[in-house]
């Protein structure tokens, strides 16, 4: 993968993450305690994702699987932190 393509993929993923953070914030905003609802949803999703087993066509070492899983969990944590930040900054009604 060349640098230009990698940058395009990174940009597309960042844009999609931004949209999804805002959508989740909108969905959770009507909850009585939206930040708590976000934290509970994030906890459950991170727990579920962390328990997934690697599947795929190629054989991977445990180190490869753990690196991929750690990277994905880090990204999910950043995602949920972004949703929580948006909820915490909602105008109070």
């Amino acid at each position: 993968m060349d640098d230009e393509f990698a940058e395009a993929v990174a940009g597309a993923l960042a844009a999609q993450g931004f949209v999804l953070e805002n959508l989740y914030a909108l969905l959770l905003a009507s909850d009585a305690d939206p930040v708590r609802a976000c934290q509970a949803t994030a906890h459950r999703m991170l727990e579920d994702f962390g328990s997934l087993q690697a599947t795929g066509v190629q054989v991977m070492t445990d180190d490869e699987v753990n690196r991929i899983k750690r990277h994905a969990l880090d990204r999910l944590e950043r995602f949920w932190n972004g949703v929580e930040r948006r909820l915490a900054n909602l105008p109070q009604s």
Side-chain angles (χ1 to χ4, degrees):
M1 176 180 334
D2 66 18
D3 289 346
E4 186 176 346
F5 183 72
E7 289 171 3
V9 170
L13 290 174
Q16 290 175 352
F18 176 80
V19 169
L20 287 173
E21 284 177 14
N22 282 288
L23 287 174
Y24 259 101
L26 285 171
L27 288 171
L28 296 170
S30 62
D31 194 275
D33 186 350
V35 172
R36 179 68 194 119
C38 175
Q39 291 168 344
T41 304
H43 176 77
R44 179 59 190 257
M45 280 193 177
L46 288 166
E47 192 175 79
D48 287 349
F49 184 84
S51 67
L52 291 176
Q53 298 300 311
T55 59
V57 177
Q58 72 186 57
V59 176
M60 292 186 282
T61 67
D62 288 343
D63 286 343
E64 289 172 315
V65 170
N66 289 332
R67 266 196 320 275
I68 291 167
K69 189 180 277 191
R70 185 69 249 158
H71 177 76
L73 286 170
D74 288 346
R75 179 62 191 109
L76 285 171
E77 287 171 3
R78 288 193 308 273
F79 171 82
W80 285 110
N81 289 339
V83 174
E84 187 174 337
R85 213 174 22 260
R86 283 168 172 54
L87 290 169
N89 293 321
L90 287 175
Q92 301 299 315
S93 51

